[in-house]
Amino acid sequence: MTTEKRKDRTVTKKDRLYGTLVIAGIFIIGFIVYFFDAIFYFFYLLFSDK
């Protein structure tokens, strides 16, 4: 029973690690998309001014 508890603990730790990685990945991808959108808008403003 103790071994099963230990295995469950490691699984939860791994699941938590993967969850944080997924959340960080989604946040980074969203930030990159927002950053590129800002660059595109900046270039659009530059070309529209000229």
Side-chain angles (χ1 to χ4, degrees):
M1 275 205 159
T2 50
T3 50
E4 272 182 26
K5 256 192 180 180
R6 260 190 175 178
K7 271 184 182 179
D8 284 342
R9 259 192 182 177
T10 49
V11 167
T12 48
K13 258 191 181 180
K14 265 189 181 179
D15 285 345
R16 194 180 288 174
L17 182 74
Y18 280 125
T20 47
L21 278 174
V22 167
I23 290 169
I26 289 169
F27 182 75
I28 289 167
I29 288 169
F31 184 73
I32 287 169
V33 168
Y34 179 78
F35 190 66
F36 273 108
D37 192 47
I39 289 171
F40 181 75
Y41 186 67
F42 178 69
F43 273 109
Y44 174 75
L45 282 178
L46 272 177
F47 282 120
S48 65
D49 276 3
K50 282 183 177 179

